Amino acid sequence: MTQYFKLNEWIFIAAGVGTLVAIPFLSMAGFWLWAVVKMIYFLAIIVLLIETKIKR
Amino acid sequence: MLGIQFIELLIFFEKFGLAVAGAASFWGFAFAVFSSRLVNKREAALWLGAAQKLILLFFSGIFLFGFIWLIVALQSCAFCAIGHEGISGAPEMGAAELAGAIQKQFSTALLLELSAFITLVLLLIKRGFILANIKWVYGFFLTVITIIYVYPWGEIDSFKSAAYTALHNWHSILTLGSVIVVDFIYIALRYNLRDILPKLFSAITLGIWIGLGLDFLSSGLVFQESFTPAPKTLFAQMLIGIIIINGVFLSGPLIRAIIFFREKINEDVVPIKLHRLAGISGAVSLGAWTSITAINGFHSITLSYFGLFAFYVAFVSLIYAARELIDKILIKTKVWR
């Protein structure tokens, strides 16, 4: 299974799952919970850009 | 109906049209610039061909935007004459603000539509000239569309609010619009552009991820003062999660499998299961992006969380059925062969 996804894709999946899991808690933990999940997303973009650069 | 006002529905279609036109201009410009830098003439011709073919999508989007913009202007009474004693035809405060924004935007929207019309006429009578200068054509339209998206046409509360609106509007080019571009290329051009499909999809996928990131940045500016745990908001968060996870599957293993069949097996027809999976994933993606854009504009929607979900599932099914039908028609008529 690990071979089907690249590193950036795993991090994107974590961000997506994190977004779904955070939904019931957003009204309590609000901005900071939301921000942490988005940080994971931006990390995925950075890794994607690095992997694209390495591939070239 | 369902708390959705007719004007909100119109504004959604207006945004949809402009996002499609903006994305077609953006990627058309990017592909044309990339083509001009390539040494390999065959590859350069393919990228330029991709840029030129996006003009069909551009015109579809721009004329949808123009047509709906006009209807919104009429509905909101943007150009109603002020009657005696200052009594205007514009109904209440919210609509008056919309009417004011439309009045301010009029000259730019008119420039956009007139230019699109002239370009279409030139394309019909001097096709070679337009296609040879497609980079400049797209560059011009992208600039005007960016102005429409970014300029604060309405009332400005604060710089943060204006920045949010500008970023949030413009990101539609890289997200909703780009998803339509991907669908257009996959459905209509995947055989013509076979040799550059991997690079093409990679580029657009990166754009979509960055576009979603821009949306998060813009939302972050106003999150603390604007977030409410309403069904609509929580449903939008669910759609974001679906967009990300589905996007990974579609742009990752699924596309790689399709490319594997083309490059390694040299087979134009992919296995039916793979084709269906790609179709479902594409429909989930397009359905999610369209739904999130729509509900963002429906301020008083009364559907519950589960009502919204049911609507989304029905919408995705409709998109999948439409894509399959278009695909079958294109195969039967051999449009792209």
Side-chain angles (χ1 to χ4, degrees):
Chain A
M1 176 86 159
T2 51
Q3 72 203 36
Y4 291 141
F5 296 103
K6 296 177 184 175
L7 177 59
N8 75 81
E9 289 164 357
W10 280 115
I11 304 174
F12 273 122
I13 289 173
V17 169
T19 303
L20 294 174
V21 165
I23 291 172
F25 305 104
L26 280 176
S27 50
M28 293 176 279
F31 176 71
W32 294 110
L33 177 61
W34 180 88
V36 162
V37 175
K38 298 317 166 204
M39 286 300 116
I40 300 171
Y41 179 87
F42 283 114
L43 175 65
I45 290 187
I46 292 167
V47 172
L48 171 60
L49 289 169
I50 294 170
E51 281 180 336
T52 307
K53 194 101 181 160
I54 290 169
K55 201 174 147 189
R56 278 191 199 148
Chain B
M1 191 180 84
L2 303 173
I4 301 169
Q5 294 181 36
F6 183 58
I7 196 112
E8 290 174 336
L9 195 60
L10 289 175
I11 290 171
F12 162 71
F13 281 110
E14 188 191 318
K15 282 184 185 175
F16 185 89
L18 195 63
V20 169
S25 307
F26 180 89
W27 292 111
F29 180 76
F31 295 163
V33 166
F34 186 64
S35 164
S36 64
R37 291 179 182 184
L38 286 171
V39 173
N40 183 322
K41 284 189 178 163
R42 188 175 175 273
E43 200 181 334
L46 284 172
W47 281 98
L48 187 61
Q52 290 167 345
K53 285 176 173 70
L54 284 177
I55 201 84
L56 296 167
L57 200 58
F58 169 77
F59 282 127
S60 307
I62 209 72
F63 290 129
L64 173 66
F65 164 75
F67 178 66
I68 301 292
W69 189 96
L70 194 61
I71 298 177
V72 169
L74 293 170
Q75 277 282 122
S76 62
C77 215
F79 303 104
C80 289
I82 308 279
H84 288 304
E85 297 167 27
I87 298 167
S88 165
E92 66 272 8
M93 270 311 282
E97 203 180 313
L98 173 63
I102 289 172
Q103 285 170 0
K104 276 164 67 176
Q105 202 185 68
F106 175 71
S107 49
T108 315
L110 184 66
L111 169 70
L112 184 62
E113 291 304 313
L114 271 180
S115 308
F117 182 73
I118 291 166
T119 307
L120 180 61
V121 169
L122 282 174
L123 193 64
L124 294 170
I125 59 176
K126 272 191 171 279
R127 191 162 173 260
F129 173 75
I130 292 293
L131 293 181
N133 293 287
I134 202 76
K135 182 170 66 177
W136 305 111
V137 171
Y138 282 137
F140 168 75
F141 285 117
L142 182 60
T143 306
V144 178
I145 290 170
T146 297
I147 291 170
I148 289 179
Y149 269 140
V150 164
Y151 187 83
W153 304 106
E155 304 269 321
I156 309 167
D157 293 331
S158 62
F159 174 75
K160 237 176 32 163
S161 170
Y164 161 77
T165 306
L167 262 179
H168 192 72
N169 285 344
W170 199 89
H171 99 280
S172 303
I173 287 179
L174 287 184
T175 52
L176 176 62
S178 294
V179 165
I180 302 284
V181 167
V182 165
D183 267 9
F184 174 75
I185 290 172
Y186 183 74
I187 291 170
L189 303 173
R190 66 181 183 271
Y191 295 102
N192 309 63
L193 302 177
R194 180 180 16 173
D195 294 346
I196 61 168
L197 269 187
K199 287 183 191 170
L200 208 141
F201 281 146
S202 290
I204 301 178
T205 301
L206 179 59
I208 293 171
W209 288 134
I210 290 172
L212 186 56
L214 286 178
D215 185 39
F216 295 155
L217 281 173
S218 69
S219 300
L221 290 172
V222 298
F223 188 95
Q224 281 171 304
E225 52 262 37
S226 305
F227 176 77
T228 52
K232 186 182 99 159
T233 312
L234 298 179
F235 180 70
Q237 290 298 311
M238 188 198 77
L239 286 179
I240 297 273
I242 288 174
I243 280 168
I244 297 172
I245 296 169
N246 179 70
V248 168
F249 274 96
L250 181 58
S251 64
L254 274 177
I255 287 293
R256 285 198 284 273
I258 290 171
I259 290 164
F260 171 81
F261 272 93
R262 295 207 191 293
E263 286 183 352
K264 299 284 187 281
I265 301 179
N266 200 24
E267 180 62 65
D268 272 346
V269 179
V270 298
I272 191 81
K273 275 185 186 167
L274 188 57
H275 178 79
R276 266 200 197 127
L277 258 175
I280 292 167
S281 189
V284 165
S285 180
L286 181 56
W289 278 117
T290 314
S291 300
I292 213 167
T293 307
I295 63 170
N296 188 49
F298 300 155
H299 300 292
S300 314
I301 193 165
T302 56
L303 279 172
S304 67
Y305 188 97
F306 294 104
L308 287 165
F309 185 74
F311 178 80
Y312 168 66
V313 169
F315 186 45
V316 166
S317 307
L318 190 66
I319 293 172
Y320 177 71
R323 280 168 112 253
E324 288 297 296
L325 184 65
I326 293 168
D327 215 27
K328 282 187 169 55
I329 291 170
L330 288 176
I331 290 170
K332 220 171 185 172
T333 56
K334 295 188 173 140
V335 164
W336 31 251
R337 293 240 188 230

